[in-house]
Amino acid sequence: MQPQLKSKVRCTDREIGEVTKVVVDPLSHEISHIVVSMNGSGERQVAMASVRHVTEGTVELGTASTDVLSLPPFKRDDYVTTHEVEIAHLEEKVHVTPGEVLVPFPELEKNVKRRTFFMNFTHAIGFLIGLPIAFPILRYLMKPMYVPFDNSWLKIGNVGKIKQNDIGVQFKYKRKVKEAYMPEAEIEKNVWILKATPAVLEQVYQGKDMEFRNASGLPVWTNKKDIPYVAFSGKCPHLGCGYKWRQHKVLGQVFLCPCHLSIYDAAGKVLDGPAPRPLDSLPIKVSAGGDVEIIDMEFKAGTKAQIRII
């Protein structure tokens, strides 16, 4: 049995506190340490080698309380949470929820300012010297970045695929793209569509239609608040990962991003995790025969504001 958060921690002579965090080895995926809140005396990091026995709700150490108190205070800045880094298949080995699961902050990252100061300074000087020569080339290469957004409609399927209300259904489609001066390529994309009940529609639209505008501020399309079909971009607003519709043991059915565990409800609202904004809604229209069309839009990840990039 693994140490659980909030478990009482007992030494050979007395109880000293409770588990507040666990530290995971990013390579072996095993719990290497527990962090113990010492009943008002700060936190101490205790190696799993010192753990003698684990039961439901209790962790027994093979050392005396004075030995734990003599350990240096826990340094939180030396670690990052598993919300901030992605460790594939970690959930298959570690079963501590909810709370903080930590991994050591990479040593190279901690020393990056000292290591790279002079290297970056040298690069900056070289950049300034070469800028007059490079500017015409850069202007030519960056020209495709200022091409107007494509606001054409794409047919992606039929709503007959949706069998229940307020359930996320993934629609996959292919689209031809051309980036800068690279050859045109066909890529696979996806959106999530649900047939929303009035309660979910109210959360999405908050009583008013949703208007989409182009870079010049001119209207492109308006999603009407009384149309039940809602489309969400297939990319998580945190870092652009693909997310899924999943059954959560506490929250019920939700959209879950496996990269950093952002969780959204059926209306796209953030319920948990590091996502800075709700899921991005897309322009959608549904024909009388149930054919679904969208305008393919993408928005900058990691920002609170919704900034269109495609």
Side-chain angles (χ1 to χ4, degrees), residues 235-256:
K235 293 190 175 182
C236 174
H238 179 223
L239 291 179
C241 295
Y243 55 89
K244 299 294 183 181
W245 181 257
R246 289 289 183 264
Q247 178 68 35
H248 190 278
K249 62 183 179 181
V250 176
L251 302 173
Q253 291 184 310
V254 294
F255 290 112
L256 170 65

Side-chain angles (χ1 to χ4, degrees), residues 243-292:
Y243 55 89
K244 299 294 183 181
W245 181 257
R246 289 289 183 264
Q247 178 68 35
H248 190 278
K249 62 183 179 181
V250 176
L251 302 173
Q253 291 184 310
V254 294
F255 290 112
L256 170 65
C257 180
C259 290
H260 303 91
L261 302 184
S262 289
I263 300 175
Y264 311 84
D265 64 12
K269 176 184 176 183
V270 180
L271 299 179
D272 196 9
R277 65 174 187 269
L279 293 177
D280 296 312
S281 296
L282 300 179
I284 181 174
K285 62 181 179 181
V286 180
S287 71
D291 291 331
V292 182

Side-chain angles (χ1 to χ4, degrees), residues 153-159 161-162 167-175 187-195 229-236 241-245 255 279-286 291-299:
W153 289 93
L154 296 173
K155 183 177 177 180
I156 61 171
N158 191 281
V159 294
K161 183 178 178 180
I162 303 174
I167 298 294
V169 178
Q170 188 180 51
F171 283 70
K172 297 181 180 181
Y173 60 98
K174 294 182 179 181
R175 182 177 181 184
I187 61 172
E188 288 191 355
K189 304 190 72 174
N190 72 87
V191 296
W192 288 86
I193 297 178
L194 55 88
K195 185 177 182 181
Y229 295 102
V230 179
F232 294 118
S233 167
K235 293 190 175 182
C236 174
C241 295
Y243 55 89
K244 299 294 183 181
W245 181 257
F255 290 112
L279 293 177
D280 296 312
S281 296
L282 300 179
I284 181 174
K285 62 181 179 181
V286 180
D291 291 331
V292 182
E293 293 182 84
I294 63 160
I295 296 178
D296 185 25
M297 296 181 175
E298 289 188 21
F299 303 90

